[in-house]
Amino acid sequence: GCHSAVLTEKALYTSGSNAAGALGGRGKECVLLPITEQGFDKIKIVQIACGESHVIALEQIPNSAGNQGFAWAWGCNASGQL
């Protein structure tokens, strides 16, 4: 699908086609203006990547052993990419 993701210091935004769920749980409608992805307001996202029909966001969790985090992914998983 044709979609994009933008990361700022305060939020993660997505827009474009949601036919495969790349914009999260918003049905299948196309989103023309960037909207905030819900659920990331208390999480520090440090990097994002868009695939053909999915988005991946890397969360930073500071701890004494260094920076470790989780990878969050949503969208189409037809080929096991998530």
Side-chain angles (χ1 to χ4, degrees), residues 60-70:
Q60 177 182 342
I61 301 175
N63 61 31
S64 61
N67 292 331
Q68 296 181 355
F70 295 100

Side-chain angles (χ1 to χ4, degrees), residues 22-44:
L23 305 184
R26 293 187 171 78
K28 301 291 182 189
E29 73 274 6
C30 184
V31 178
L32 298 178
L33 298 174
I35 53 176
T36 305
E37 281 296 327
Q38 302 298 310
F40 291 102
D41 53 334
K42 294 182 174 75
I43 297 172
K44 173 75 172 161

Side-chain angles (χ1 to χ4, degrees), residues 41-71:
D41 53 334
K42 294 182 174 75
I43 297 172
K44 173 75 172 161
I45 299 296
V46 294
Q47 190 172 4
I48 55 173
C50 291
E52 182 176 342
S53 300
H54 63 281
V55 176
I56 298 173
L58 181 62
E59 173 188 357
Q60 177 182 342
I61 301 175
N63 61 31
S64 61
N67 292 331
Q68 296 181 355
F70 295 100

Side-chain angles (χ1 to χ4, degrees), residues 6-18:
V6 176
L7 180 63
T8 69
E9 288 186 23
K10 297 185 179 196
L12 171 59
Y13 300 91
T14 56
S15 64
S17 171
N18 197 30

